[in-house]
Structure formats: structure tokens, C-alpha cells
Amino acid sequence: MLVYVAWAIPFAFFLIRNQMTTVPPELTEAALIDGASFGRLFWQIHVPLMRAGLGAAFIFQFTAVWNDLLLGITLSRSADVQPVMAALTTLNNAYSSAGPPVILAGALIVSAPTLLLFLVFRGLFLRGITASAR
């Protein structure tokens, strides 16, 4: 849990904040002059413009939660409810006879959802990363 508070949440905050600074203030002023409410301004102007930054932050957060090992090992009491990362560590212990090929195949399978998520949203991810670097 400390990883989320100390690293992931501030990183996502600054990523989205830097994305929001790229929205021109003239756009907001024009919408307010035209009579848009703050809710409409947020949902119909700011959110579509921030979609790339939100997508990049989502991919980073998903990867951080998916790869969390410490919380899964600490809080799961039985092997039936272990997260996939914690279950992967049980392949390499004193009571397991699984060799390196089985462990590497398990690591490849475990990394597949993150890789698939990135491949599906790679354009959105790259636009979000490059837009927040300005």
C-alpha cells in the first residue's frame, strides 16, 4: 500500500496535472462566456482533451497494481486467494520442483495482460507521455 501512496498516486497526479496545463485558458474562457457550466466545461471540454494523459496514467496505475507482490504475499493467507504475482513466486521455492523454463513461462503469461493493454492503447499512451513532458 505504501507504494501507491509514495509513488503511484503522486506520479499519476503530476502526469495529469502536466496534461491539464496544456489546455489553453482561452478555450475555458470561451466556454464560460458561451454559458457553459463548470460540469459541462469539465466533461465536454477538459476530459476529451485530457484523454491521452488519463490513458497514460491508467496504464501506469494498472501496471503498478498488477505487479504488486508485497501486498499480495502479506495479505493472502491461502494459496486459493493469492494474486497472480504472489502465486508466481511459489514456483521458485524449496518445496517446488519447477525448473527455470516453467518459471519463465509463468512470468511471460503473467506479463501478458500489461503488454496487451499497452499494445491496445499505445497511441493514447505515447500521446499522453509526450504531452505531459512539455
Side-chain angles (χ1 to χ4, degrees):
M1 190 62 148
L2 184 62
V3 172
Y4 305 126
V5 175
W7 180 81
I9 293 173
F11 181 76
F13 173 79
F14 285 116
L15 186 72
I16 294 170
R17 182 220 170 259
N18 288 342
Q19 178 71 29
M20 288 181 71
T21 59
T22 63
V23 176
E26 293 84 13
L27 194 62
T28 304
E29 292 169 0
L32 289 174
I33 289 172
D34 287 343
S37 65
F38 286 108
R40 184 178 177 117
L41 177 71
F42 180 73
W43 287 109
Q44 291 187 345
I45 294 176
H46 286 274
V47 170
L49 292 173
M50 295 183 323
R51 192 174 22 197
L54 291 171
F58 173 76
I59 290 174
F60 277 123
Q61 294 296 329
F62 177 81
T63 304
V65 171
W66 183 258
N67 290 333
D68 186 31
L69 177 64
L70 183 63
L71 195 65
I73 290 174
T74 305
L75 298 179
S76 61
R77 298 250 180 215
S78 70
D80 296 337
V81 295
Q82 279 185 336
V84 69
M85 283 297 180
L88 185 62
T89 61
T90 61
L91 291 176
N92 189 19
N93 61 18
Y95 304 110
S96 175
S97 62
V102 174
I103 295 169
L104 290 174
L108 182 66
I109 291 170
V110 164
S111 64
T114 303
L115 182 63
L116 182 66
L117 186 70
F118 172 74
L119 290 175
V120 168
F121 296 111
R122 71 177 168 255
L124 190 64
F125 177 75
L126 294 175
R127 278 196 310 266
I129 294 297
T130 56
S132 65
R134 294 182 198 161

mmCIF file of all heavy atoms in Angstrom, residues 107-129:
data_model
loop_
_atom_site.group_PDB
_atom_site.id
_atom_site.type_symbol
_atom_site.label_atom_id
_atom_site.label_comp_id
_atom_site.label_asym_id
_atom_site.label_seq_id
_atom_site.Cartn_x
_atom_site.Cartn_y
_atom_site.Cartn_z
ATOM 1 N N ALA A 107 6.160 -16.315 -15.912
ATOM 2 C CA ALA A 107 6.411 -14.870 -15.951
ATOM 3 C C ALA A 107 5.921 -14.264 -17.256
ATOM 4 O O ALA A 107 5.401 -13.141 -17.273
ATOM 5 C CB ALA A 107 7.896 -14.597 -15.763
ATOM 6 N N LEU A 108 6.054 -14.989 -18.347
ATOM 7 C CA LEU A 108 5.565 -14.499 -19.636
ATOM 8 C C LEU A 108 4.037 -14.408 -19.639
ATOM 9 O O LEU A 108 3.466 -13.426 -20.120
ATOM 10 C CB LEU A 108 6.046 -15.410 -20.762
ATOM 11 C CG LEU A 108 5.655 -15.008 -22.169
ATOM 12 C CD1 LEU A 108 6.353 -13.702 -22.530
ATOM 13 C CD2 LEU A 108 6.039 -16.092 -23.156
ATOM 14 N N ILE A 109 3.382 -15.401 -19.080
ATOM 15 C CA ILE A 109 1.918 -15.395 -19.009
ATOM 16 C C ILE A 109 1.425 -14.274 -18.096
ATOM 17 O O ILE A 109 0.449 -13.592 -18.396
ATOM 18 C CB ILE A 109 1.393 -16.775 -18.539
ATOM 19 C CG1 ILE A 109 1.648 -17.811 -19.628
ATOM 20 C CG2 ILE A 109 -0.083 -16.707 -18.181
ATOM 21 C CD1 ILE A 109 1.409 -19.230 -19.193
ATOM 22 N N VAL A 110 2.119 -14.054 -16.991
ATOM 23 C CA VAL A 110 1.730 -13.007 -16.048
ATOM 24 C C VAL A 110 1.904 -11.622 -16.658
ATOM 25 O O VAL A 110 1.122 -10.709 -16.397
ATOM 26 C CB VAL A 110 2.553 -13.151 -14.744
ATOM 27 C CG1 VAL A 110 2.480 -11.913 -13.896
ATOM 28 C CG2 VAL A 110 2.069 -14.342 -13.962
ATOM 29 N N SER A 111 2.899 -11.441 -17.508
ATOM 30 C CA SER A 111 3.139 -10.125 -18.118
ATOM 31 C C SER A 111 2.248 -9.870 -19.330
ATOM 32 O O SER A 111 2.209 -8.743 -19.839
ATOM 33 C CB SER A 111 4.602 -9.979 -18.515
ATOM 34 O OG SER A 111 4.926 -10.916 -19.521
ATOM 35 N N ALA A 112 1.520 -10.860 -19.790
ATOM 36 C CA ALA A 112 0.684 -10.709 -20.985
ATOM 37 C C ALA A 112 -0.416 -9.641 -20.852
ATOM 38 O O ALA A 112 -0.600 -8.857 -21.785
ATOM 39 C CB ALA A 112 0.077 -12.053 -21.374
ATOM 40 N N PRO A 113 -1.160 -9.547 -19.744
ATOM 41 C CA PRO A 113 -2.202 -8.507 -19.676
ATOM 42 C C PRO A 113 -1.654 -7.085 -19.771
ATOM 43 O O PRO A 113 -2.241 -6.234 -20.435
ATOM 44 C CB PRO A 113 -2.867 -8.741 -18.321
ATOM 45 C CG PRO A 113 -2.618 -10.156 -18.016
ATOM 46 C CD PRO A 113 -1.277 -10.465 -18.599
ATOM 47 N N THR A 114 -0.530 -6.829 -19.117
ATOM 48 C CA THR A 114 0.064 -5.499 -19.195
ATOM 49 C C THR A 114 0.537 -5.204 -20.604
ATOM 50 O O THR A 114 0.334 -4.105 -21.126
ATOM 51 C CB THR A 114 1.232 -5.380 -18.206
ATOM 52 O OG1 THR A 114 0.762 -5.671 -16.903
ATOM 53 C CG2 THR A 114 1.828 -3.996 -18.230
ATOM 54 N N LEU A 115 1.170 -6.161 -21.235
ATOM 55 C CA LEU A 115 1.637 -5.979 -22.608
ATOM 56 C C LEU A 115 0.464 -5.782 -23.558
ATOM 57 O O LEU A 115 0.504 -4.909 -24.436
ATOM 58 C CB LEU A 115 2.482 -7.175 -23.044
ATOM 59 C CG LEU A 115 3.084 -7.110 -24.430
ATOM 60 C CD1 LEU A 115 4.052 -5.943 -24.531
ATOM 61 C CD2 LEU A 115 3.776 -8.412 -24.762
ATOM 62 N N LEU A 116 -0.597 -6.554 -23.389
ATOM 63 C CA LEU A 116 -1.788 -6.415 -24.227
ATOM 64 C C LEU A 116 -2.451 -5.050 -24.025
ATOM 65 O O LEU A 116 -2.854 -4.405 -25.004
ATOM 66 C CB LEU A 116 -2.780 -7.533 -23.918
ATOM 67 C CG LEU A 116 -4.048 -7.555 -24.753
ATOM 68 C CD1 LEU A 116 -3.699 -7.870 -26.205
ATOM 69 C CD2 LEU A 116 -5.017 -8.567 -24.210
ATOM 70 N N LEU A 117 -2.532 -4.601 -22.792
ATOM 71 C CA LEU A 117 -3.099 -3.277 -22.503
ATOM 72 C C LEU A 117 -2.281 -2.185 -23.176
ATOM 73 O O LEU A 117 -2.832 -1.254 -23.758
ATOM 74 C CB LEU A 117 -3.149 -3.064 -20.990
ATOM 75 C CG LEU A 117 -3.826 -1.802 -20.510
ATOM 76 C CD1 LEU A 117 -5.324 -1.889 -20.761
ATOM 77 C CD2 LEU A 117 -3.557 -1.601 -19.045
ATOM 78 N N PHE A 118 -0.961 -2.303 -23.121
ATOM 79 C CA PHE A 118 -0.120 -1.306 -23.769
ATOM 80 C C PHE A 118 -0.292 -1.343 -25.282
ATOM 81 O O PHE A 118 -0.374 -0.292 -25.927
ATOM 82 C CB PHE A 118 1.353 -1.520 -23.415
ATOM 83 C CG PHE A 118 2.271 -0.641 -24.200
ATOM 84 C CD1 PHE A 118 2.355 0.704 -23.912
ATOM 85 C CD2 PHE A 118 3.027 -1.142 -25.228
ATOM 86 C CE1 PHE A 118 3.188 1.541 -24.643
ATOM 87 C CE2 PHE A 118 3.856 -0.336 -25.965
ATOM 88 C CZ PHE A 118 3.936 1.013 -25.668
ATOM 89 N N LEU A 119 -0.339 -2.516 -25.862
ATOM 90 C CA LEU A 119 -0.469 -2.606 -27.324
ATOM 91 C C LEU A 119 -1.804 -2.055 -27.813
ATOM 92 O O LEU A 119 -1.874 -1.444 -28.878
ATOM 93 C CB LEU A 119 -0.288 -4.050 -27.780
ATOM 94 C CG LEU A 119 1.134 -4.607 -27.644
ATOM 95 C CD1 LEU A 119 1.163 -6.076 -28.020
ATOM 96 C CD2 LEU A 119 2.119 -3.809 -28.463
ATOM 97 N N VAL A 120 -2.856 -2.251 -27.044
ATOM 98 C CA VAL A 120 -4.162 -1.740 -27.438
ATOM 99 C C VAL A 120 -4.191 -0.215 -27.352
ATOM 100 O O VAL A 120 -4.725 0.456 -28.231
ATOM 101 C CB VAL A 120 -5.277 -2.369 -26.570
ATOM 102 C CG1 VAL A 120 -6.594 -1.661 -26.759
ATOM 103 C CG2 VAL A 120 -5.417 -3.849 -26.897
ATOM 104 N N PHE A 121 -3.593 0.337 -26.296
ATOM 105 C CA PHE A 121 -3.664 1.780 -26.062
ATOM 106 C C PHE A 121 -2.326 2.476 -26.289
ATOM 107 O O PHE A 121 -2.069 3.510 -25.698
ATOM 108 C CB PHE A 121 -4.139 2.056 -24.632
ATOM 109 C CG PHE A 121 -5.527 1.588 -24.368
ATOM 110 C CD1 PHE A 121 -5.768 0.519 -23.529
ATOM 111 C CD2 PHE A 121 -6.599 2.210 -24.975
ATOM 112 C CE1 PHE A 121 -7.048 0.081 -23.267
ATOM 113 C CE2 PHE A 121 -7.894 1.782 -24.731
ATOM 114 C CZ PHE A 121 -8.111 0.718 -23.885
ATOM 115 N N ARG A 122 -1.453 1.952 -27.154
ATOM 116 C CA ARG A 122 -0.119 2.534 -27.297
ATOM 117 C C ARG A 122 -0.147 3.945 -27.871
ATOM 118 O O ARG A 122 0.641 4.783 -27.468
ATOM 119 C CB ARG A 122 0.785 1.626 -28.110
ATOM 120 C CG ARG A 122 0.456 1.549 -29.569
ATOM 121 C CD ARG A 122 1.459 0.674 -30.315
ATOM 122 N NE ARG A 122 0.968 0.393 -31.633
ATOM 123 C CZ ARG A 122 0.472 -0.760 -32.012
ATOM 124 N NH1 ARG A 122 0.440 -1.756 -31.171
ATOM 125 N NH2 ARG A 122 0.023 -0.926 -33.224
ATOM 126 N N GLY A 123 -1.054 4.236 -28.793
ATOM 127 C CA GLY A 123 -1.130 5.594 -29.330
ATOM 128 C C GLY A 123 -1.538 6.587 -28.263
ATOM 129 O O GLY A 123 -0.951 7.669 -28.130
ATOM 130 N N LEU A 124 -2.546 6.223 -27.483
ATOM 131 C CA LEU A 124 -3.005 7.072 -26.391
ATOM 132 C C LEU A 124 -1.907 7.234 -25.339
ATOM 133 O O LEU A 124 -1.672 8.325 -24.827
ATOM 134 C CB LEU A 124 -4.258 6.447 -25.763
ATOM 135 C CG LEU A 124 -5.053 7.260 -24.772
ATOM 136 C CD1 LEU A 124 -5.645 8.477 -25.467
ATOM 137 C CD2 LEU A 124 -6.148 6.401 -24.181
ATOM 138 N N PHE A 125 -1.214 6.156 -25.043
ATOM 139 C CA PHE A 125 -0.132 6.182 -24.054
ATOM 140 C C PHE A 125 1.008 7.095 -24.510
ATOM 141 O O PHE A 125 1.474 7.945 -23.755
ATOM 142 C CB PHE A 125 0.379 4.758 -23.833
ATOM 143 C CG PHE A 125 1.537 4.664 -22.898
ATOM 144 C CD1 PHE A 125 1.355 4.803 -21.537
ATOM 145 C CD2 PHE A 125 2.807 4.431 -23.368
ATOM 146 C CE1 PHE A 125 2.416 4.709 -20.672
ATOM 147 C CE2 PHE A 125 3.873 4.335 -22.513
ATOM 148 C CZ PHE A 125 3.678 4.471 -21.154
ATOM 149 N N LEU A 126 1.438 6.961 -25.730
ATOM 150 C CA LEU A 126 2.550 7.769 -26.228
ATOM 151 C C LEU A 126 2.167 9.239 -26.338
ATOM 152 O O LEU A 126 2.976 10.121 -26.036
ATOM 153 C CB LEU A 126 3.035 7.238 -27.576
ATOM 154 C CG LEU A 126 3.673 5.845 -27.508
ATOM 155 C CD1 LEU A 126 4.022 5.342 -28.887
ATOM 156 C CD2 LEU A 126 4.900 5.868 -26.630
ATOM 157 N N ARG A 127 0.939 9.533 -26.743
ATOM 158 C CA ARG A 127 0.499 10.932 -26.774
ATOM 159 C C ARG A 127 0.448 11.519 -25.371
ATOM 160 O O ARG A 127 0.807 12.680 -25.160
ATOM 161 C CB ARG A 127 -0.888 11.039 -27.423
ATOM 162 C CG ARG A 127 -0.845 11.049 -28.918
ATOM 163 C CD ARG A 127 -2.163 11.536 -29.504
ATOM 164 N NE ARG A 127 -3.335 10.865 -28.953
ATOM 165 C CZ ARG A 127 -3.919 9.791 -29.491
ATOM 166 N NH1 ARG A 127 -3.454 9.277 -30.603
ATOM 167 N NH2 ARG A 127 -4.985 9.256 -28.931
ATOM 168 N N GLY A 128 0.013 10.724 -24.401
ATOM 169 C CA GLY A 128 -0.057 11.199 -23.019
ATOM 170 C C GLY A 128 1.314 11.451 -22.418
ATOM 171 O O GLY A 128 1.524 12.436 -21.717
ATOM 172 N N ILE A 129 2.265 10.588 -22.715
ATOM 173 C CA ILE A 129 3.605 10.768 -22.193
ATOM 174 C C ILE A 129 4.292 11.971 -22.820
ATOM 175 O O ILE A 129 4.898 12.784 -22.139
ATOM 176 C CB ILE A 129 4.443 9.491 -22.403
ATOM 177 C CG1 ILE A 129 3.890 8.359 -21.566
ATOM 178 C CG2 ILE A 129 5.905 9.716 -22.080
ATOM 179 C CD1 ILE A 129 3.954 8.609 -20.090
#
